[in-house]
Amino acid sequence: MPKVSACMPIYNTAPTHLREAIKSVLSQTFKDFEFLIINSSPDNKELDKIVAEFKDPRIIYKKGKKTLEISEAFNILIDMARGSYLAICEHDDISLPMRFEKQVAYLDANPNVGVVSAQIRWFPKKEEKGEWQTRNPTDNFNIKVKLMKDCALQHPVAMIRKSVLMENDIRYEFRFNPAVDHRLWIRLIDFTEFHNIDEVLLKYRWFGGNASVLQRQRLQDAVGEVRIYAQNKYPALYLEYLARYSSRQRVWLFGFIPLFKIIRRPGKILIKLFDRITVIKIK
């Protein structure tokens, strides 16, 4: 049996992006993996041809019987997977060559950790603006604190210990599309520990076709629901988040009119006029 199952749903992917994503997986320095690809847009015949260009025997290709949501696609891949570890691979990102090797080594050495992720680098648009790399916390407690508000584990570069999902009957949940990753991490808080390798192991393609861009309102609604659940279930972690990541100060006019509100967050200061209008933003 392979050690790792690389899991990649594809959906109307741009041909150039898909070829680059597949090549990056097949070019890993760690070789003991199967590469599971599911076509979530079965009417798109071009994707069949692109996958067929790669003659690597590790590729196992499946077509969905219907158009699949991301949660459905990943759940099918989990059921197909024979590996002990699930490497999440998205259809337009580029995994750096040492990604699998470093993540497997970490999970092998730390059986208490069920999810290991890493930092990512955005390209090309955010890279051009200077917003080029994540700086998520690395240790378990700080990751869980940040999960109360933000997705502190980057899903496109995550590797998951399959047994943690199977033993606790946890899967991706359709109701939370497209914020299924954040929901998954929250569900796993009680059952395992998390870690982020503190180096960039994936280049994340940021462009107008990202699901997070195309489904912005749906994403915001789903993230809001995940946050409410997390904050109610883990009040101690949420209080720690508030104490650590957010502080607010008001400047009053005549002692009773709220003139300015100053909001301090990690790496950012916002000054709002009359509590509503942002007049200064400092990064």
Side-chain angles (χ1 to χ4, degrees), residues 1-17:
M1 293 294 178
K3 181 82 169 183
V4 172
S5 295
C7 302
M8 180 183 285
I10 60 178
Y11 179 81
N12 288 334
T13 316
T16 300
H17 297 174

Side-chain angles (χ1 to χ4, degrees), residues 41-59:
S41 50
D43 293 336
N44 189 329
K45 309 298 184 184
E46 185 176 15
L47 300 184
D48 302 338
K49 297 176 183 177
I50 292 171
V51 175
E53 293 173 6
F54 297 89
K55 306 303 182 183
D56 196 301
R58 292 173 295 182
I59 293 177

Side-chain angles (χ1 to χ4, degrees), residues 233-251:
K233 185 170 176 60
Y234 302 105
L237 288 173
Y238 182 49
L239 288 173
E240 179 66 22
Y241 176 87
L242 291 177
R244 188 180 302 185
Y245 287 102
S246 181
S247 66
R248 296 167 186 247
Q249 178 183 356
R250 279 191 169 87
V251 177

Side-chain angles (χ1 to χ4, degrees), residues 165-266:
L165 301 180
M166 305 302 289
E167 291 168 5
N168 299 292
D169 194 25
I170 292 176
R171 293 289 190 277
Y172 292 87
E173 296 177 64
F174 178 85
R175 170 182 169 185
F176 295 94
N177 285 324
V180 292
D181 52 343
H182 198 174
R183 170 64 174 177
L184 183 69
W185 309 146
I186 296 299
R187 289 281 311 280
L188 287 172
I189 283 178
D190 284 339
F191 304 109
T192 194
E193 295 184 9
F194 304 124
H195 181 76
N196 278 318
I197 295 173
D198 198 18
E199 62 180 287
V200 172
L201 293 181
L202 179 126
K203 293 175 67 176
Y204 180 83
R205 195 184 303 273
W206 181 266
F207 66 108
N210 294 88
S212 56
V213 175
L214 298 176
Q215 303 184 61
R216 182 165 295 163
Q217 186 57 54
R218 189 180 178 192
L219 177 63
Q220 289 176 352
D221 293 343
V223 167
E225 190 171 354
V226 171
R227 286 173 177 169
I228 290 171
Y229 173 87
Q231 293 160 13
N232 287 333
K233 185 170 176 60
Y234 302 105
L237 288 173
Y238 182 49
L239 288 173
E240 179 66 22
Y241 176 87
L242 291 177
R244 188 180 302 185
Y245 287 102
S246 181
S247 66
R248 296 167 186 247
Q249 178 183 356
R250 279 191 169 87
V251 177
W252 301 87
L253 181 64
F254 306 126
F256 64 93
I257 299 175
L259 182 61
F260 293 108
K261 179 164 67 175
I262 304 170
I263 304 171
R264 293 180 175 87
R265 295 172 181 156

Side-chain angles (χ1 to χ4, degrees), residues 10-11 30 68 81-82 93 120 146 154 158 164 202-203 217 278:
I10 60 178
Y11 179 81
F30 181 87
L68 299 172
R82 298 176 297 157
D93 298 331
I120 66 173
K146 199 173 182 186
Q154 297 297 325
V164 173
L202 179 126
K203 293 175 67 176
Q217 186 57 54
T278 299

Side-chain angles (χ1 to χ4, degrees), residues 15-189:
T16 300
H17 297 174
L18 181 57
R19 288 188 179 97
E20 290 180 352
I22 292 175
K23 286 178 182 177
S24 76
V25 174
L26 296 177
S27 300
Q28 292 295 301
T29 57
F30 181 87
K31 303 298 183 183
D32 184 17
F33 66 88
E34 61 181 358
F35 190 3
L36 310 179
I37 302 175
I38 185 168
N39 186 349
S40 298
S41 50
D43 293 336
N44 189 329
K45 309 298 184 184
E46 185 176 15
L47 300 184
D48 302 338
K49 297 176 183 177
I50 292 171
V51 175
E53 293 173 6
F54 297 89
K55 306 303 182 183
D56 196 301
R58 292 173 295 182
I59 293 177
I60 300 172
Y61 183 58
K62 181 179 179 66
K63 292 191 66 167
K65 295 181 180 179
K66 61 182 181 65
T67 300
L68 299 172
E69 292 274 6
I70 191 67
S71 57
E72 298 173 295
F74 272 120
N75 286 337
I76 291 171
L77 292 172
I78 290 171
D79 290 336
M80 290 173 60
R82 298 176 297 157
S84 300
Y85 304 149
L86 309 174
I88 304 303
C89 300
E90 298 198 354
H91 61 166
D92 46 18
D93 298 331
I94 299 175
S95 292
L96 299 187
M98 294 285 288
R99 177 195 163 184
F100 288 7
E101 182 175 339
K102 293 189 175 187
Q103 291 181 310
V104 167
Y106 190 88
L107 289 175
D108 282 351
N110 296 273
N112 55 312
V113 173
V115 181
V116 60
S117 189
Q119 310 297 348
I120 66 173
R121 178 179 296 138
W122 290 295
F123 82 104
K125 289 192 175 181
K126 285 205 170 190
E127 190 174 43
E128 293 167 1
K129 297 177 181 178
E131 303 171 4
W132 63 281
Q133 181 179 328
T134 55
R135 289 176 174 82
N136 285 317
T138 59
D139 65 287
N140 176 62
F141 179 71
N142 287 313
I143 289 171
K144 288 180 176 178
V145 168
K146 199 173 182 186
L147 281 172
M148 295 299 100
K149 192 71 178 290
D150 302 310
C151 205
L153 292 156
Q154 297 297 325
H155 186 253
V157 69
M159 185 174 283
I160 304 170
R161 194 181 299 273
K162 185 180 178 183
S163 60
V164 173
L165 301 180
M166 305 302 289
E167 291 168 5
N168 299 292
D169 194 25
I170 292 176
R171 293 289 190 277
Y172 292 87
E173 296 177 64
F174 178 85
R175 170 182 169 185
F176 295 94
N177 285 324
V180 292
D181 52 343
H182 198 174
R183 170 64 174 177
L184 183 69
W185 309 146
I186 296 299
R187 289 281 311 280
L188 287 172
I189 283 178

